[in-house]
Amino acid sequence: MLETETMSPRERLNDLPHDQDAEMRMTSYFLSHPDRAPKELGIKEDCFYFTQPRKIFRAIVYFQKSNRPIECVEIGKWLDQEGDEQGESWVSWIFKIIDIPCQDPNGTAQRLKDLYSRRQAIAHQEAIKAACYNEDIPLEDVLESSKKTTEELLSFVAESRISDEEGRIFENDIHQYYRDLPDGIHFDLTIEGQEIIFPIGGYSVFAAPTKHGKTRILVNSAYNALTIDPSLEIAFFTLEELAHPILIRFLNCHLNTQLSQNNHKTLAHFYKHQAGSQWQMFSDGADKSLFLERRDSFFKTICPRIRMFDLSCDGGLISTIEHLCSKIKALHKINPQIKAVFIDYLQLINIQKSYGKPREETLKEICLQLKDCAAMTGLAIVTAAQFNRQVLKEEDMLPQAIGEGGAVERHASLAIGLWNRTFPQFASVGKPTEKEQKEELFLKVMLNRYGTANISAEIPFNGNLGKIDLSNAGNREKPSPIYEKTYQPPRSFKSIG
């Protein structure tokens, strides 16, 4: 016996109209006629009432949009990899139905569409009954509501539930709200006397041009947050690098000492080789006892509070915003100590059913879902992001220059731009400026809904150590009045002498 798909509350009825044989025939037809697109027959996923035909149809549509051949074995393997488990493998189940004949595909399709329409009509009626069951609504209003669309019905029920006291907020309510409101996530960054924090229930962005250190700043801010609050736990999702090299970055931050000319490579060599040869890449002046002491403290005090999730090698199947938000919500539910989520990086996230959508629309949907996920869970979500190619110098760093559109500007609570001054700056394409290149990072708060924006700082940076001393951003003299008059935007500190 086939199982029914879990549906919305309006459709959770015991005996909705359905035709199991018609669904099996329709599924068999699409498997044996890969050249026929479901939209030619007007069939969509909701036309299937039972779980197995519905999921096979979903896979067929996915394969067609991905320009992959419709082969029974490949579809079965794909469903198995997606985690759609059942009593037997999907491959064997598909081969059981592939030979079921479908003499009249047009008639079968129309049959399924008619049944779906009837299920929708019944669901709408049940929604009216359920919504009005305990409400003091006149009978004639209930009867009149049956003529409404589902959207009109929801509005009608919401209006009927409004009381005279609804919407009133008193001073005691304000006190209670702010007493219960947790602080944001502190990560030891103060610019021009203003502490910058990651807001709880919102999402923040570190944006930088490619190769300027967006992963470094994300790792450093996460590491600082862990050292400031010993009870804090975080989740770190990586879509670019593998999880283990990211953890090596955290370790390098904690060590904060020169091991060799290339700390990251030296640490990778240390963990790859056995005792004796693992020290070969350490420089002669490296303090090995200090390294061992700090390594042990990292794996005792910091590493246990980091949950690493590697989405870089999934082939696009689970690096969707829907999967990501589901994972974040599940983590929040099972471990309340997780207060912050870090994602590297924004433009590598996909969405389900993105086929044919402009990338700007896709990014808008991703940002909106991140915002909603942060609000629902009360977590601070922090992503790295990449500026578009129009950002050629520090002054070009604006929130609307992140990625393909202004989605970040509309939905983020905090946006910080990063420029690595070891890279040249350009007045326009091919025309470099005369600004000095040096080992220094320039940070600019581009957007801050709960604090001051358009403030900036310069931070000394040793790329080999990987540690960005964010606390050092607050120890700068402000520009002299003469300097401010001759050079207004962007607001910044004097260079380090």
Side-chain angles (χ1 to χ4, degrees):
M1 180 66 180
L2 295 180
E3 301 173 355
T4 56
E5 183 93 11
T6 301
M7 297 183 181
S8 64
R10 293 179 310 187
E11 298 176 326
R12 289 173 186 163
L13 305 174
N14 294 327
D15 296 309
L16 291 175
H18 59 270
D19 188 333
Q20 178 177 324
D21 292 337
E23 292 188 24
M24 302 279 275
R25 291 196 303 271
M26 196 79 263
T27 307
S28 173
Y29 176 77
F30 285 125
L31 286 170
S32 56
H33 294 79
D35 56 319
R36 292 298 302 273
K39 64 181 181 181
E40 295 178 19
L41 297 176
I43 289 290
K44 57 184 180 179
E45 188 177 320
D46 290 334
C47 294
F48 292 89
Y49 181 73
F50 292 96
T51 302
Q52 289 92 334
R54 176 186 283 248
K55 290 187 175 180
I56 293 174
F57 177 82
R58 185 185 304 162
I60 291 171
V61 172
Y62 174 80
F63 271 54
Q64 288 181 337
K65 289 183 177 180
S66 304
N67 293 320
R68 296 171 62 176
I70 307 296
E71 297 177 357
C72 295
V73 173
E74 293 302 315
I75 288 180
K77 288 181 178 179
W78 185 82
L79 286 169
D80 288 333
Q81 291 173 356
E82 283 285 278
D84 291 322
E85 299 178 358
Q86 50 177 3
E88 56 185 320
S89 74
W90 279 99
V91 175
S92 61
W93 200 91
I94 288 172
F95 274 108
K96 287 182 179 180
I97 67 169
I98 185 65
D99 293 327
I100 297 177
C102 183
Q103 304 293 345
D104 182 13
N106 290 308
T108 303
Q110 189 59 49
R111 167 76 172 157
L112 294 182
K113 288 186 286 186
D114 290 343
L115 290 170
Y116 171 64
S117 296
R118 289 168 57 190
R119 289 199 297 271
Q120 287 293 93
I122 293 173
H124 186 74
Q125 293 174 7
E126 291 299 318
I128 296 173
K129 294 177 185 177
C132 300
Y133 185 76
N134 292 318
E135 296 293 334
D136 186 17
I137 302 174
L139 179 59
E140 58 270 18
D141 290 347
V142 174
L143 296 175
E144 181 65 25
S145 70
S146 64
K147 301 175 184 178
K148 302 178 184 292
T149 65
T150 303
E151 289 74 16
E152 291 172 333
L153 171 63
L154 293 174
S155 176
F156 162 73
V157 173
E159 290 172 2
S160 68
R161 289 177 176 172
I162 292 179
S163 68
D164 183 55
E165 293 302 313
E166 187 171 349
R168 297 182 188 275
I169 298 178
F170 300 96
E171 186 176 15
N172 287 337
D173 299 324
I174 298 175
H175 281 298
Q176 186 65 42
Y177 171 80
Y178 282 103
R179 276 197 299 266
D180 296 341
L181 187 68
D183 291 336
I185 303 297
H186 299 265
F187 61 105
D188 202 19
L189 176 61
T190 300
I191 299 178
E192 297 187 12
Q194 302 290 323
E195 183 184 10
I196 311 300
I197 64 173
F198 297 131
I200 293 292
Y203 93 91
S204 307
V205 180
F206 279 114
T210 182
K211 306 298 183 184
H212 277 238
K214 57 184 179 293
T215 302
R216 288 181 189 269
I217 194 74
L218 201 65
V219 167
N220 272 267
S221 58
Y223 172 79
N224 284 1
L226 290 167
T227 56
I228 290 171
D229 183 356
S231 67
L232 176 71
E233 295 189 21
I234 68 165
F236 197 106
F237 291 86
T238 172
L239 293 92
E240 185 174 31
E241 294 187 44
L242 299 177
H244 296 84
I246 292 289
L247 201 58
I248 289 292
R249 289 181 181 269
F250 275 94
L251 174 59
N252 198 24
C253 281
H254 189 76
L255 296 173
N256 196 24
T257 187
Q258 188 92 357
L259 305 178
S260 68
Q261 293 300 314
N262 190 326
N263 273 17
H264 195 89
K265 197 171 183 180
T266 299
L267 288 169
H269 182 274
F270 178 85
Y271 284 104
K272 182 175 182 179
H273 297 277
Q274 299 298 321
S277 62
Q278 61 188 178
W279 298 102
Q280 288 178 356
M281 292 191 67
F282 282 72
S283 63
D284 293 338
D287 190 336
K288 295 180 182 178
S289 60
L290 178 64
F291 163 73
L292 292 174
E293 178 186 338
R294 292 185 178 176
R295 180 203 63 172
D296 291 345
S297 70
F298 173 78
F299 285 104
K300 288 178 181 177
T301 64
I302 301 295
C303 188
R305 295 186 285 132
I306 304 173
R307 301 287 295 272
M308 293 294 304
F309 297 91
D310 187 351
L311 305 184
S312 61
C313 297
D314 65 280
L317 297 179
I318 61 174
S319 59
T320 62
I321 187 61
E322 292 83 1
H323 174 83
L324 191 58
C325 289
S326 296
K327 194 81 172 178
I328 291 170
K329 292 172 186 175
L331 282 170
H332 173 66
K333 186 175 182 180
I334 64 174
N335 188 354
Q337 293 302 111
I338 294 178
K339 301 294 185 184
V341 175
F342 296 82
I343 304 169
D344 186 29
Y345 62 96
L346 185 66
Q347 281 89 353
L348 293 181
I349 305 173
N350 298 309
I351 65 170
Q352 293 177 1
K353 300 178 181 179
S354 62
Y355 182 78
K357 286 187 177 181
R359 183 56 184 168
E360 184 176 346
E361 290 297 317
T362 300
L363 189 62
K364 183 194 301 182
E365 178 65 24
I366 290 168
C367 292
L368 184 59
Q369 291 204 40
L370 284 174
K371 176 185 175 183
D372 291 345
C373 182
M376 289 176 63
T377 58
L379 296 171
I381 297 180
V382 188
T383 70
Q386 192 166 295
F387 281 123
N388 59 37
R389 297 185 183 276
Q390 279 69 49
V391 177
L392 303 175
K393 56 186 181 299
E394 295 167 2
E395 290 81 0
D396 295 336
M397 295 195 303
L398 298 169
Q400 56 265 37
I402 300 174
E404 293 82 358
V408 172
E409 182 183 20
R410 288 190 291 271
H411 300 301
S413 299
L414 174 69
I416 300 176
L418 169 70
W419 187 280
N420 188 335
R421 285 182 169 170
T422 59
F423 288 86
Q425 302 187 51
F426 295 87
S428 60
V429 177
K431 294 183 179 180
T433 66
E434 297 180 358
K435 289 188 177 180
E436 178 187 358
Q437 291 176 234
K438 47 190 172 181
E439 289 192 345
E440 187 175 87
L441 298 179
F442 176 75
L443 291 183
K444 177 184 176 183
V445 180
M446 305 178 293
L447 172 70
N448 191 356
R449 299 196 187 280
Y450 304 106
T452 306
N454 294 319
I455 54 178
S456 56
E458 298 146 344
I459 306 175
F461 175 62
N462 184 326
N464 185 38
L465 299 185
K467 184 75 174 73
I468 303 173
D469 189 2
L470 295 175
S471 62
N472 217 0
N475 300 323
R476 295 288 185 276
E477 295 179 8
K478 291 192 176 182
S480 65
I482 296 176
Y483 181 79
E484 287 183 343
K485 288 179 182 177
T486 56
Y487 184 69
Q488 287 284 347
R491 195 174 169 198
S492 179
F493 296 96
K494 289 201 292 190
S495 299
I496 301 170

XYZ file of all heavy atoms in Angstrom, residues 381-418:
282
model
N 23.107 35.311 13.050
C 23.631 34.644 11.864
C 24.585 35.607 11.163
O 24.219 36.743 10.861
C 22.493 34.211 10.927
C 21.598 33.178 11.627
C 23.045 33.645 9.625
C 20.446 32.680 10.790
N 25.809 35.149 10.924
C 26.854 35.990 10.340
C 27.382 35.304 9.087
O 27.791 34.141 9.146
C 28.013 36.221 11.331
C 28.990 37.254 10.781
C 27.489 36.652 12.697
N 27.363 36.004 7.970
C 27.865 35.424 6.728
C 29.015 36.252 6.183
O 29.074 37.464 6.381
C 26.761 35.353 5.646
O 26.461 36.680 5.207
C 25.509 34.699 6.170
N 29.917 35.577 5.503
C 30.883 36.273 4.669
C 30.235 36.472 3.307
O 29.328 35.728 2.916
C 32.165 35.462 4.533
N 30.655 37.501 2.591
C 30.098 37.776 1.265
C 31.172 38.444 0.415
O 32.189 38.919 0.921
C 28.854 38.667 1.362
N 30.930 38.452 -0.865
C 31.903 38.997 -1.805
C 31.338 40.222 -2.492
O 30.201 40.222 -2.957
C 32.250 37.923 -2.844
C 33.454 38.248 -3.702
C 33.935 37.013 -4.451
O 34.384 36.045 -3.853
N 33.829 37.039 -5.763
N 32.146 41.288 -2.543
C 31.748 42.464 -3.303
C 31.755 42.138 -4.795
O 32.463 41.247 -5.250
C 32.727 43.624 -3.054
C 32.504 44.355 -1.762
C 33.523 44.471 -0.829
C 31.286 44.957 -1.476
C 33.344 45.161 0.353
C 31.082 45.649 -0.299
C 32.115 45.750 0.620
N 30.960 42.905 -5.553
C 31.010 42.720 -7.002
C 32.259 43.391 -7.567
O 33.030 44.036 -6.865
C 29.730 43.255 -7.666
C 29.517 44.740 -7.392
O 30.460 45.525 -7.337
N 28.260 45.134 -7.203
N 32.472 43.233 -8.864
C 33.724 43.689 -9.484
C 33.801 45.194 -9.639
O 34.842 45.722 -10.050
C 33.892 43.007 -10.844
C 34.019 41.497 -10.739
C 34.311 40.855 -12.089
N 34.346 39.409 -11.973
C 35.420 38.709 -11.587
N 36.534 39.356 -11.266
N 35.379 37.395 -11.515
N 32.728 45.915 -9.321
C 32.770 47.374 -9.407
C 33.484 48.004 -8.203
O 33.775 49.195 -8.199
C 31.354 47.948 -9.506
C 30.755 47.892 -10.906
C 30.455 46.483 -11.356
O 29.833 45.729 -10.617
N 30.888 46.120 -12.558
N 33.759 47.193 -7.165
C 34.467 47.701 -5.994
C 35.962 47.624 -6.274
O 36.578 46.561 -6.208
C 34.100 46.898 -4.730
C 34.894 47.381 -3.527
C 32.606 47.014 -4.446
N 36.554 48.775 -6.592
C 37.971 48.850 -6.980
C 38.836 49.506 -5.907
O 40.059 49.446 -5.979
C 38.109 49.631 -8.298
C 37.315 49.096 -9.492
C 37.458 50.033 -10.680
C 37.799 47.698 -9.864
N 38.202 50.147 -4.935
C 38.942 50.833 -3.869
C 38.059 50.911 -2.630
O 36.867 50.577 -2.673
C 39.365 52.231 -4.322
C 38.236 53.140 -4.801
C 38.781 54.437 -5.347
C 37.664 55.378 -5.807
N 36.842 54.802 -6.878
N 38.657 51.355 -1.539
C 37.942 51.368 -0.256
C 36.674 52.195 -0.309
O 35.645 51.827 0.278
C 38.875 51.919 0.827
C 40.075 51.039 1.101
C 41.129 51.736 1.932
O 40.896 52.909 2.321
O 42.176 51.132 2.213
N 36.719 53.328 -1.002
C 35.561 54.216 -1.056
C 34.371 53.582 -1.774
O 33.238 54.045 -1.630
C 35.931 55.536 -1.734
C 36.863 56.425 -0.933
C 38.326 56.014 -1.045
O 38.631 55.032 -1.751
O 39.168 56.676 -0.430
N 34.620 52.531 -2.542
C 33.530 51.882 -3.289
C 32.750 50.884 -2.432
O 31.739 50.334 -2.885
C 34.098 51.137 -4.506
C 34.721 52.074 -5.524
O 34.341 53.260 -5.535
O 35.581 51.625 -6.308
N 33.217 50.633 -1.212
C 32.578 49.606 -0.381
C 31.237 50.121 0.153
O 31.187 50.975 1.036
C 33.495 49.203 0.780
C 34.770 48.521 0.345
S 35.656 47.666 1.682
C 35.925 48.992 2.850
N 30.159 49.601 -0.413
C 28.791 49.953 -0.026
C 27.975 48.679 0.081
O 28.250 47.691 -0.621
C 28.165 50.886 -1.073
C 28.842 52.244 -1.277
C 28.267 52.922 -2.521
C 28.664 53.125 -0.053
N 26.946 48.658 0.932
C 26.158 47.423 1.070
C 25.478 46.995 -0.219
O 25.327 45.807 -0.477
C 25.134 47.774 2.164
C 25.153 49.259 2.275
C 26.519 49.694 1.872
N 25.088 47.957 -1.075
C 24.440 47.588 -2.329
C 25.424 47.018 -3.342
O 25.013 46.531 -4.406
C 23.677 48.769 -2.940
C 24.514 50.014 -3.186
C 24.419 50.989 -2.033
O 24.349 50.578 -0.877
N 24.402 52.279 -2.341
N 26.739 47.059 -3.029
C 27.755 46.499 -3.928
C 28.082 45.052 -3.577
O 28.998 44.477 -4.153
C 29.020 47.340 -3.878
N 27.347 44.466 -2.639
C 27.584 43.074 -2.261
C 26.841 42.171 -3.229
O 25.606 42.194 -3.301
C 27.124 42.804 -0.815
C 27.887 43.697 0.156
C 27.334 41.341 -0.458
C 27.409 43.603 1.586
N 27.584 41.368 -3.963
C 26.967 40.402 -4.864
C 26.230 41.050 -6.003
O 26.651 42.045 -6.569
N 25.073 40.478 -6.322
C 24.364 40.844 -7.543
C 23.281 41.893 -7.354
O 22.575 42.237 -8.287
C 23.723 39.583 -8.166
C 24.715 38.564 -8.689
C 25.262 37.663 -7.599
O 24.897 37.848 -6.424
O 26.074 36.784 -7.923
N 23.073 42.391 -6.146
C 21.997 43.370 -5.982
C 21.963 43.931 -4.584
O 22.879 43.745 -3.786
N 20.906 44.643 -4.253
C 20.791 45.311 -2.966
C 20.059 44.511 -1.918
O 19.540 45.084 -0.963
N 20.003 43.172 -2.078
C 19.254 42.353 -1.129
C 19.843 42.434 0.274
O 19.119 42.473 1.268
C 19.230 40.897 -1.601
N 21.166 42.465 0.369
C 21.819 42.525 1.679
C 21.470 43.834 2.376
O 21.178 43.861 3.573
C 23.342 42.374 1.516
C 24.042 42.642 2.842
C 23.681 40.987 1.007
N 21.488 44.922 1.629
C 21.175 46.228 2.206
C 19.767 46.251 2.797
O 19.516 46.877 3.826
C 21.314 47.311 1.138
C 21.056 48.714 1.646
C 21.132 49.759 0.548
O 20.999 49.382 -0.640
O 21.302 50.935 0.863
N 18.825 45.539 2.165
C 17.431 45.563 2.628
C 17.203 44.683 3.846
O 16.338 44.979 4.662
C 16.497 45.129 1.495
C 16.340 46.158 0.390
C 15.233 45.768 -0.566
N 15.587 44.599 -1.353
C 16.228 44.635 -2.515
N 16.609 45.799 -3.008
N 16.510 43.536 -3.168
N 17.938 43.574 3.961
C 17.594 42.579 4.979
C 18.616 42.422 6.093
O 18.277 41.900 7.159
C 17.375 41.212 4.308
C 16.279 41.209 3.292
N 14.977 41.539 3.605
C 16.286 40.948 1.953
C 14.225 41.453 2.509
N 14.993 41.114 1.505
N 19.877 42.837 5.899
C 20.895 42.642 6.934
C 20.742 43.676 8.045
O 20.279 44.792 7.827
C 22.284 42.730 6.319
N 21.144 43.284 9.247
C 21.157 44.212 10.382
C 22.496 44.922 10.509
O 22.570 46.047 11.001
C 20.866 43.449 11.686
O 19.595 42.853 11.641
N 23.556 44.253 10.072
C 24.907 44.807 10.179
C 25.701 44.376 8.954
O 25.658 43.200 8.568
C 25.585 44.285 11.455
C 27.058 44.645 11.673
C 27.207 46.143 11.945
C 27.645 43.829 12.826
N 26.386 45.324 8.334
C 27.233 45.015 7.175
C 28.556 45.746 7.328
O 28.588 46.976 7.474
C 26.551 45.415 5.869
N 29.654 44.988 7.327
C 30.990 45.545 7.500
C 31.812 45.218 6.257
O 31.889 44.057 5.842
C 31.676 44.979 8.757
C 30.851 45.327 10.003
C 33.096 45.511 8.886
C 31.401 44.722 11.281
N 32.413 46.243 5.671
C 33.273 46.053 4.516
C 34.717 45.878 4.940
O 35.175 46.488 5.916
N 35.444 45.055 4.207
C 36.844 44.762 4.521
C 37.696 44.964 3.276
O 37.354 44.478 2.188
C 36.969 43.314 5.010
C 38.386 42.742 5.136
C 39.112 43.403 6.299
C 38.343 41.229 5.318
